[in-house]
Each structure stands twice: as structure tokens, then as C-alpha cells.
Amino acid sequence: MSPLSDITKEKLKELFRSIYPENADWDSFEQILKKAEDTRQILAVQSQPLPLDQSDAVLITYADQFRRGGEKPLKTLLDVALRLFYPNISSIHLLPFYPYTSDDGFSVADYLSVHPDFGDWQDIRDLSKNFRLMFDAVVNHTSVSHEWFQRFLSGDPQYQDFYITADPSDERLKWVVRPRALPLLTEFQSKDGIIHVWTTFSADQVDLNYSNPKVFQKMTGVLLDYVRYGAQFIRLDAIAYLWKEIGTTCIHLPQTHWIIQFWRCLLSEVAPYAKIITETNVPHQENVSYFGDGMNEAHMVYNFALPPLVLHTVQTQNTRYLTRWASDLQTPSDQTAFFNFLASHDGVGINPVRGILTDTEIDQLVTRIQKLGGLVSYKANPDGSRSPYELNVNFFDAMGDPESPLTEEEMIGRFLTAHAVLLSMKGLPAIYVHSMIGSRGWKEGVNLTGANRTINRQKLAAEEVLAEIENPAGRRAKIWSGLSRMLSVRRKEAAFHPLAEQKVSLVDERIFGLIRLDPRSNRTVFCVHNFSKDEVFVELPDSINRWKDLLSSREEEFTRLVQLSPYQHRWLVQSAS
């Protein structure tokens, strides 16, 4: 057994005492240390991954995203990923691949098993040979079918405090922040009669009770097993709601932050390469609080304001808000970075831009997306009202113009320019699989499931996708080749390192401009993105030397001005000639 350092143990003990000032279960604490030391010893004999750099980009995908007759989906995913995404994509965020009962995997029935329909742990190990892996740690809740909850209902004393019950008549519950327009409590039949259990997200997702140290011990063990099974990134799903205290909002409570700090401290010694990523779909200033002091909490946070701001920019053809927000964007230390994305298995959150866009502008964005066929999910407010929480729309479909229909070529131009912003910004970029292969929204799926999020969760036949990518005239091929080109250029440019300097260039409200700088070579990349239907000329940062476009297939050089066609983007460097 490889012991943790005394400094780490003391820090962990201090955090544990902060979380549990009155009911610290030191036996549970010692069990955590033992598990950590065992895991550290196992990982010590493995080769350590290289640090992240500009060659890193993440694909977000379901384990069963691609189907092929007679083959487990995880094997199919590996084949498709090697054929379409490697080496431009270095990492795969595997959405929950565990046994589950609803919500496409986020109602976990067993944290430490691979869903038998998808494959097994060997398939996960095979993926990890070519890609860094991100696992979802669905730490807030379990499925009602989970063994822990069933034993809780049956009165097993070992599990009596694993979940949270409350009196539905308690007036203090109205202050709980609700991410859904659904009941907070769900009625269940227990051994002792009817009980009302806390269910933040749905009746099939029962919230764990972290005020019980044994729950904390169990879930810390799950995280340690994930790094043992090959996870280099741990995504803490819905982490903001982790700790509940009736009479408060039950979001962003101090205990939640202390728990993340405990996990960061533990992993820093057990698996120092492992990155904690917090998923908190909340207003921007609340979101960035999960960086802590820059050294003690999340390594990365989801950059939730980016998707709705880019959508607003596309729809208004005006970069004013995106430019202003990006100008102020910063992280507290060089140990932290934003996890940048535009689309995901969920929709585009609206809350992150409250306080950035006005309420009127948010309402206008919601209306535009609805006119383009998108759907809206709502959250419940303390006064009994509800407000838009999320836009459920395929990101490509959201590139349309509800007032003046665009050609598919124009939509592709908008789409690729939006993703050029994603891929040029400081931080680690992640692309949702349906964006990478140019999918459209799946409205039939919404009719089948009744769930708005299904619109962007269609599973696909592998051979059909591969055949469409082979057709250069098709939408899938054009988008895939455009994104692949950007990723290929990005991975060779040190100025796109996740931590390389970034400066927003204020040039024109139709243009979003970024300067990225590699401090070692002093090499500058000037990234310009035209979100308008106009031809625009942009003044170059250095009007004496010649510049060339890294993304162009033609030999073009520019001196004082660079021309941008409608919806065009360019990444420019000074020419060596």
C-alpha cells in the first residue's frame, strides 16, 4: 500500500471536519484513505498521461451512439472514432454507460458496471488506448432501482439515511431552487408506510443524502474506481445541488464546495493527471465560483454562457455581447481552464446569460429558436411561476433565420464559423457528436419519448453515417471536413494551447476577433469570424508584414486588410516568406 502524504491527510481531515462538524464519522474517513492508498498503488505502475496541450479536443458522445448489427455499441464507437475522429479528437466524453432506468443514462442503477447492452470494461479499456476518457460521475442522485434505494425502502439500517425525506407541507421548501418544473418530492411506499423523498430532477432520480458521511464515503469510492478504470476527466454532473439544507436555496451551499475540494485534494495525490470538471448550468458568476481559489477546486468548469451567447450572435448578426463577455473572461490561475462547448446531449441553457443579455433579448432568442423548430424546457420559480431554462434544439438547425430562410450552404457557413469561435478560444474545446457529423434535429424522437431533449439524442446506424461522410457534396461531409480541418490546424499551433494568452480584438460588431499568443515563440494567431451576411474588410494587427490564412486551401497573403465573405472565418499568422 502506498500511503498518502501527511500534508494531504491533514488537509483532507480539515475538509472532512468542515463538512461534518457535528457528526464526523472517522471510520468512514479512514475507509476513504485506505481506498485512496490502494488506488494510488494500482495507478503507480501505469504510465502517466502527458499534460493537456493544443492537440487536445473532446468528443461528447453516448456509448451506444453508433449501431451495427451483431456488434456491441462500444466496439462500434471505437471503430467509428478511429475512422472519423482520430487523431484530431484526443478525448472522448462517454455519457453515462452504466445500467440505468431513464434519462438516457442519468438515472444510474449501478455506478460500477457497464451496461451489458453496450459492452464491458474491456471495451472501455480498448477506447482508453487511443483516447483520453471522461466519465460521468452522477453524484447527486441514483435511480429508484438502485440497490441502495431499494434497501432504504425496505428499512435496512445500513441504508436508513442514504436518501432525503421531507414533509411536503413544510413551507420552507418553496425556497429550494428548482431546475425543473416538476415536484420536488416524490411519494414512495416504504416498510414503515408512505414517505416523501427528495427528487430534484425526476421521480426516477432520488437524491443522495450527503449529510450522512457513509454516502460521502461510498461516492468517493466510486470516483476512485473511475480513475482506476481509466478516467482522466471526472465530470461532476449537477454538482451545484449536491448538499440540501431545508430553509435554504439548496444550491451552491458551502458543503458542496468543500466536498469538491476534498475530491480535488484526494485525486491530486492518487491520480495527479485526473481533472475534475464541474457541470453547473447557472448564471456565469455562480458558475465560475467552482474554480475556488484556482488551486483547490475544479480544474475546469463548463463554459455555459458560450452556447447561448454564440446563438444570440448568430441570430442577431451582432457580436457586441459576445465580445464584451469574452473580453472579461478569465480564470483564477494557470491550474484552471474553461471547458468550452456549443452543443451537448442537453439543450442550450438560458440561465447562464441572465445578467449578460437583457430579459427582452433572452425572450427574443427563445422566440427565434421556437420558430426554427426548437423546443423550450422550463424551471419552477419560488413564487409559483415558471421561466425558460433551456432551449432544446439541434445546433445546426439553430443556424437558420426564422424571418428569411437561408440556403443549406449559408447555414453550414454559420455553423462552421460558430465552431471556429469554439476552437479558437482559450480553454479545452468539446464538440458534441451530432455537431461533428452534421446531424439535424430528431423531432420524431420527441414524439416517441415525450422528452424535449430527445431532439438531439438520436442514435445512428454506423454504416449510414460513414457512407454519408464519403459523399463530399452532402451536409455531413461538408461539416465533418470543415471541423476536421480546423481541429487539424489547431493541434499543431502552440498559440491554441488551453492556457495560451488570449486577447479579444474589437474590430467591428459584425466580427468576433481573437488574438492567441504562444509566449514561448511569440507566434500570434489572429482569429476573425464574420457573423453577418455582409462582405467585411478587417484591419490586421500588423499592417507592415504579410499574413496568411491557416485554414485556406489557396495561397493567399494579406498585408493591411483581410477580406471576409458572409459567414466566413479565418485564422491568420504572419507569413514566413
Side-chain angles (χ1 to χ4, degrees), residues 295-463:
M295 304 292 289
N296 68 340
E297 209 161 325
H299 297 88
M300 287 183 258
V301 301
Y302 270 71
N303 204 350
F304 271 109
L306 182 62
L309 280 174
V310 169
L311 273 192
H312 176 267
T313 301
V314 167
Q315 288 298 320
T316 62
Q317 299 185 48
N318 189 301
T319 68
R320 180 171 67 255
Y321 284 104
L322 178 63
T323 297
R324 184 186 306 162
W325 168 80
S327 297
D328 295 331
L329 202 61
Q330 55 185 315
T331 62
S333 78
D334 62 3
Q335 302 297 305
T336 55
F338 282 107
F339 188 79
N340 296 321
F341 73 111
L342 293 180
S344 73
H345 59 292
D346 292 337
V348 175
I350 294 300
N351 280 351
V353 287
R354 295 196 184 278
I356 300 174
L357 301 179
T358 67
D359 289 345
T360 298
E361 286 161 333
I362 289 173
D363 290 342
Q364 289 171 344
L365 177 61
V366 170
T367 299
R368 289 190 188 104
I369 297 303
Q370 286 177 308
K371 287 181 178 179
L372 290 169
L375 306 169
V376 181
S377 294
Y378 292 85
K379 69 182 183 74
N381 299 317
D383 63 2
S385 65
R386 65 176 198 162
S387 56
Y389 170 77
E390 184 178 82
L391 300 174
N392 302 114
V393 64
N394 171 278
F395 207 81
F396 181 82
D397 292 344
M399 298 296 99
D401 185 334
E403 307 303 328
S404 179
L406 301 177
T407 66
E408 186 171 79
E409 287 301 312
E410 289 173 318
M411 289 178 66
I412 290 173
R414 282 183 160 192
F415 185 83
L416 290 176
T417 293
H419 281 79
V421 171
L422 165 69
L423 293 173
S424 60
M425 286 189 69
K426 185 176 181 178
L428 179 66
I431 303 177
Y432 186 43
V433 64
H434 281 297
S435 294
M436 191 70 204
I437 57 175
S439 295
R440 302 296 300 264
W442 190 36
K443 294 182 180 179
E444 297 87 349
V446 176
N447 295 332
L448 288 171
T449 67
N452 286 357
R453 285 178 167 179
T454 308
I455 199 167
N456 209 22
R457 295 182 175 184
Q458 185 178 13
K459 308 301 168 61
L460 303 168
E463 303 313 317

Side-chain angles (χ1 to χ4, degrees), residues 136-155:
D136 259 292
V138 188
V139 293
N140 181 72
H141 49 262
T142 71
S143 163
V144 298
S145 70
H146 197 289
E147 179 192 2
W148 300 346
F149 188 64
Q150 291 303 309
R151 292 176 71 170
F152 165 80
L153 291 179
S154 70

Side-chain angles (χ1 to χ4, degrees), residues 72-88:
K72 294 285 187 179
L74 278 167
K75 293 187 185 300
T76 308
L77 175 63
L78 175 58
D79 176 61
V80 173
L82 289 174
R83 293 169 68 174
L84 293 185
F85 310 131
Y86 184 83
N88 292 324

Side-chain angles (χ1 to χ4, degrees), residues 2-54:
S2 181
L4 302 178
S5 70
D6 289 340
I7 293 175
T8 297
K9 287 180 181 179
E10 282 305 309
K11 181 61 177 176
L12 293 172
K13 186 177 291 186
E14 177 186 334
L15 286 165
F16 194 76
R17 191 179 289 114
S18 296
I19 300 165
Y20 303 106
E22 297 176 359
N23 64 329
D25 178 351
W26 293 107
D27 179 64
S28 291
F29 179 79
E30 291 299 326
Q31 290 299 315
I32 290 172
L33 294 187
K34 182 179 184 305
K35 175 89 174 184
E37 289 167 342
D38 289 345
T39 305
R40 186 169 184 256
Q41 185 174 31
I42 292 168
L43 295 176
V45 300
Q46 301 177 11
S47 58
Q48 299 299 298
L50 295 172
L52 297 176
D53 63 19
Q54 65 274 9

